Amino acid sequence: MTHPDLTIVGGGLAGSEAAWQAAQRGIFVHLYEMRPGISTGAHLTSKLGELICSNSFGSNLPDRASGMLKNELRILGSLLLECAQKTALPAGNALAVDREAFSRQVTEHLASHPNIEIVRQEMVEIPDGPAIIASGPLTSDRLSNAIADLTGENQLYFFDAIAPIVTAESINMEIAFLGSRYGHGESEVGDYVNCPFTKDEYNSFEEALLSGERIPLQSFEAKIEKGVNAGKQQFFEGCLPVEIIARRGHQALAFGPMRPTGLVDPRTGHWPHATVQLRQDNLAGSLKNMVGFQTHLTYPEQKRIFHMIPGLENAEFVRYGQMHRNTFLAAPIILLPTLQFRGRADLFFAGQITGVEGYMGNIATGLLAGINAAYFLHGEETVVFPETCMLGALCHYITHAAMRDFQPMKANFGILPPLSSIERMDKRERARLFVERAQSDMEKFLSNNTGI
Ligand SMILES: Cc1cc2nc3c(=O)[nH]c(=O)nc-3n(C[C@H](O)[C@H](O)[C@H](O)COP(=O)(O)OP(=O)(O)OC[C@H]3O[C@@H](n4cnc5c(N)ncnc54)[C@H](O)[C@@H]3O)c2cc1C
């Protein structure tokens, strides 16, 4: 029997998982990985599924967003999760791995699969036949050009700066207030949450920013010389990290991203000395983005320093600010929740390039793309997981988010549809209900789709 062929570009987290899922379903996979011949600048080895930064896959607890996603991947038979569990290190409630052993196991499993051929070569064009592109946030320049040609240059983003996101419910609204500058917002109460600073609070905050520890710059973040990204600098004037603005002079922030003009604090009746503004980040409004707060501080420093912001003293961060090259598509415009490209049913995207963030989320989209590519090649209908499950919610988010503010998103409870109960409940109870609903919906989904 001959197997239908599928080309997968990128042997990282998403591409490796996708290759395994498709191969297990009787598809012959040509897995293209450009390393070790060509490096991304961040990867250090030739292994498949290499972890480029942290060795943690996040919480294992079933009532955390990341734990919920792991449970779904466990049920769906994820290879990479299995390798992570087998190479786990003691890390409390988190799933952290021996990174070398992890990627070795992934490589061995894929290399010994009879339906997988690993091709150590850079893919410079979009393959003509059925394919999954999983080339990651550091996609090579030549392939980036080809993707930009396919999707339109404006549909490929290179975000170097990402601001932190917090959950709306963790903001102290006894201090923060709703409002738009001079009342010019779309909604009557105001489109922004504003965190007001007194002069003393501002001075202490500025001092903390100036002395905060920053992540060292990596070589791959230097100016890019070729391709659609040509000429981009490490920092753009329009999106400088807040700690760099603070260095430009005392009060620079108060005249920049923290300017208080037109924002009357209802408790004082005056403009504060400075403000941090937060803007809605998801459809449900459960997540808020810290406007203009892109930063290169280390994560622990962000937690410490940003908790000094009045109203954010107990803020729960679902994403910290980051500065790095990050190639991703305008997924809300060009992808379907099945991860198929809208313009070509035989072309799928997976991993960070789709706008999903975090190791586990990237593995999850690889798993879905692998399953759906196999379905497609066998002439069956591709599937969409229930939106109430974390995998379904991630795919729904990236394909339905408002394009204006679209930024990569990791697994979190804020992207799930709200619970029907309107009663106030504590965080743990809410998490338990989210998990129960997801489990029940996943069971129903799998009993209706027995082929998965
Ligand atoms: C600097 C940095 C640090 C990060 N740190 C973390 C972290 O600590 N925790 C976390 O959860 N997430 C982190 N992320 C985000 C993300 O989870 C990881 O980047 C993750 O590895 C993405 O998975 P992926 O499969 O999409 O891409 P990758 O794992 O990067 O896989 C893509 C693969 O495609 C290959 N490739 C690229 N172009 C081509 C081509 N033209 N032809 C053939 N092969 C090609 C690359 O060599 C690579 O092996 C980080 C991202 C960056 C950029």
Side-chain angles (χ1 to χ4, degrees):
M1 189 186 117
T2 54
H3 299 286
D5 279 23
L6 172 70
T7 301
I8 298 184
V9 184
L13 297 180
S16 297
E17 183 69 44
W20 180 260
Q21 296 299 334
Q24 288 288 86
R25 288 166 173 79
I27 305 297
F28 193 85
V29 174
H30 307 269
L31 177 59
Y32 279 76
E33 171 50 60
M34 66 180 185
R35 291 177 288 120
I38 299 178
S39 169
T40 59
H43 290 80
L44 299 173
T45 76
S46 62
K47 295 206 176 62
L48 304 176
E50 180 182 333
L51 303 176
I52 51 175
C53 193
S54 154
N55 67 334
S56 171
F57 286 87
S59 177
N60 246 335
L61 295 172
D63 62 350
R64 301 292 153 86
S66 162
M68 182 172 164
L69 183 59
K70 286 190 191 71
N71 266 341
E72 293 170 12
L73 291 187
R74 213 166 277 130
I75 294 168
L76 295 167
S78 159
L79 170 71
L80 270 70
L81 179 57
E82 190 190 314
C83 294
Q85 282 163 340
K86 286 196 180 141
T87 56
L89 300 171
N93 292 327
L95 174 58
V97 300
D98 172 335
R99 67 177 71 241
E100 206 280 325
F102 169 76
S103 53
R104 184 166 16 96
Q105 280 216 9
V106 173
T107 310
E108 283 169 5
H109 273 92
L110 297 182
S112 59
H113 199 295
N115 285 353
I116 298 178
E117 180 201 8
I118 299 167
V119 186
R120 297 286 182 172
Q121 197 179 309
E122 180 191 11
M123 178 66 75
V124 295
E125 282 172 357
I126 308 289
D128 284 334
I132 300 175
I133 310 285
S135 44
L138 306 169
T139 293
S140 72
D141 278 354
R142 288 193 287 184
L143 185 62
S144 294
N145 281 332
I147 297 172
D149 285 346
L150 176 83
T151 59
E153 293 243 340
N154 296 339
Q155 316 303 347
L156 189 61
Y157 285 69
F158 298 90
F159 265 44
D160 289 14
I162 298 179
I165 293 179
V166 301
T167 59
E169 63 175 9
S170 67
I171 302 173
N172 180 357
M173 293 306 291
E174 310 247 305
I175 295 176
F177 63 94
L178 290 173
S180 303
R181 282 186 207 286
Y182 300 103
H184 289 164
E186 278 175 27
S187 81
E188 223 168 86
V189 281
D191 299 336
Y192 291 85
V193 172
N194 302 287
C195 299
F197 285 70
T198 62
K199 195 169 175 191
D200 286 348
E201 285 166 343
Y202 176 84
N203 289 343
S204 313
F205 181 67
E206 188 188 71
E207 211 178 293
L209 275 179
L210 287 171
S211 58
E213 192 193 338
R214 292 194 281 154
I215 299 170
L217 284 175
Q218 309 275 341
S219 61
F220 61 87
E221 292 166 319
K223 184 175 170 185
I224 297 149
E225 287 173 2
K226 294 181 295 187
V228 286
N229 213 10
K232 283 209 168 183
Q233 304 283 341
Q234 285 163 355
F235 301 136
F236 299 102
E237 198 56 30
C239 55
L240 287 174
V242 278
E243 63 279 6
I244 301 287
I245 300 177
R247 266 162 220 267
R248 293 195 164 172
H250 180 48
Q251 302 296 338
L253 283 169
F255 285 95
M258 292 178 67
R259 69 191 179 285
T261 45
L263 293 166
V264 178
D265 183 343
R267 280 168 209 97
T268 62
H270 300 294
W271 296 358
H273 181 75
T275 48
V276 168
Q277 291 201 295
L278 296 104
R279 180 175 54 210
Q280 184 170 333
D281 195 78
N282 63 339
L283 288 176
S286 52
L287 302 177
K288 302 282 176 189
N289 197 315
M290 293 173 64
V291 181
F293 259 66
Q294 49 275 357
T295 175
H296 213 224
L297 293 171
T298 62
Y299 290 179
E301 285 290 79
Q302 289 186 46
K303 191 171 180 184
R304 179 179 72 82
I305 297 169
F306 295 161
H307 275 166
M308 291 170 71
I309 296 172
L312 297 193
E313 50 289 339
N314 294 314
E316 185 193 349
F317 288 88
V318 300
R319 188 185 69 200
Y320 286 104
Q322 293 169 28
M323 302 285 299
H324 61 68
R325 184 147 81 85
N326 194 1
T327 308
F328 65 95
L329 303 163
I333 296 173
I334 64 168
L335 289 189
L336 294 169
T338 53
L339 302 181
Q340 280 163 296
F341 177 55
R342 283 182 186 273
R344 235 182 86 178
D346 66 346
L347 180 62
F348 296 77
F349 284 88
Q352 184 100 358
I353 200 163
T354 65
V356 164
E357 186 157 278
Y359 293 157
M360 227 53 235
N362 288 315
I363 292 171
T365 54
L367 178 136
L368 178 62
I371 292 176
N372 271 340
Y375 270 136
F376 176 83
L377 285 164
H378 289 309
E380 292 167 32
E381 281 222 3
T382 50
V383 295
V384 176
F385 280 87
E387 227 186 285
T388 48
C389 302
M390 200 49 84
L391 172 50
L394 278 169
C395 294
H396 181 84
Y397 178 84
I398 57 165
T399 51
H400 291 80
M403 200 49 236
R404 188 174 55 113
D405 297 321
F406 184 56
Q407 289 199 349
M409 182 57 69
K410 70 175 192 178
N412 71 86
F413 288 133
I415 58 173
L416 294 174
L419 294 162
S420 49
S421 164
I422 49 163
E423 282 168 36
R424 282 185 71 84
M425 58 184 92
D426 71 20
K427 245 168 70 175
R428 288 283 146 260
E429 175 64 2
R430 202 171 59 109
R432 191 183 65 73
L433 292 176
F434 274 140
V435 170
E436 269 180 24
R437 181 180 68 176
Q439 276 169 352
S440 141
D441 288 355
M442 177 68 101
E443 273 168 30
K444 274 186 238 151
F445 175 79
L446 291 176
S447 64
N448 292 333
N449 294 273
T450 46
I452 291 177

